[in-house]
Amino acid sequence: MSLYEVQRLIHRLNVDPVAVERFRTAPDALLGEYALDDAERAALLAGDVPALWRMGVHPLLMLHYARARQIPMPEVYRPLRPLAGERRLVSARSGAAA
């Protein structure tokens, strides 16, 4: 698993409208440009927000992914609620839990 590659792809979806269009119309071609394992590829293609969360995708990138996938925010938050507490988010500045 390469969390870096997953997050790199999501970042690209945030800054590159052409990549978003490719992701929506020919996702396999775009995903083929990244070193993703089968689980990562499946989660990205299926819009599996809980799987991406469990992989460790940064919360802000989760929002970018949802926007690129056109997933309404209630559909992003609903499956994440049961996962509350699975990850402890820490601020790099203060070391305090976010």
Side-chain angles (χ1 to χ4, degrees):
M1 182 173 102
S2 172
L3 177 59
Y4 174 76
E5 286 291 291
V6 173
Q7 294 189 133
R8 193 168 72 93
L9 167 64
I10 295 171
H11 171 71
R12 183 171 171 199
L13 294 175
N14 184 47
V15 299
D16 183 354
V18 173
V20 172
E21 185 58 29
R22 288 182 61 211
F23 187 67
R24 292 177 182 166
T25 60
D28 288 323
L30 180 65
L31 271 54
E33 297 174 15
Y34 295 84
L36 303 169
D37 66 24
D38 291 339
E40 293 162 342
R41 182 179 303 278
L44 289 162
L45 288 171
D48 190 342
V49 172
L52 294 171
W53 181 259
R54 285 186 170 122
M55 286 176 197
V57 173
H58 190 278
L60 183 57
L61 290 175
M62 296 287 288
L63 299 176
H64 298 319
Y65 172 74
R67 185 175 63 228
R69 283 291 317 257
Q70 298 176 315
I71 302 172
M73 292 320 297
E75 290 180 31
V76 172
Y77 295 129
R78 189 177 310 113
L80 291 179
R81 280 192 191 103
L83 305 179
E86 279 192 17
R87 285 175 51 187
R88 183 167 181 263
L89 304 176
V90 178
S91 169
R93 279 197 234 158
S94 67

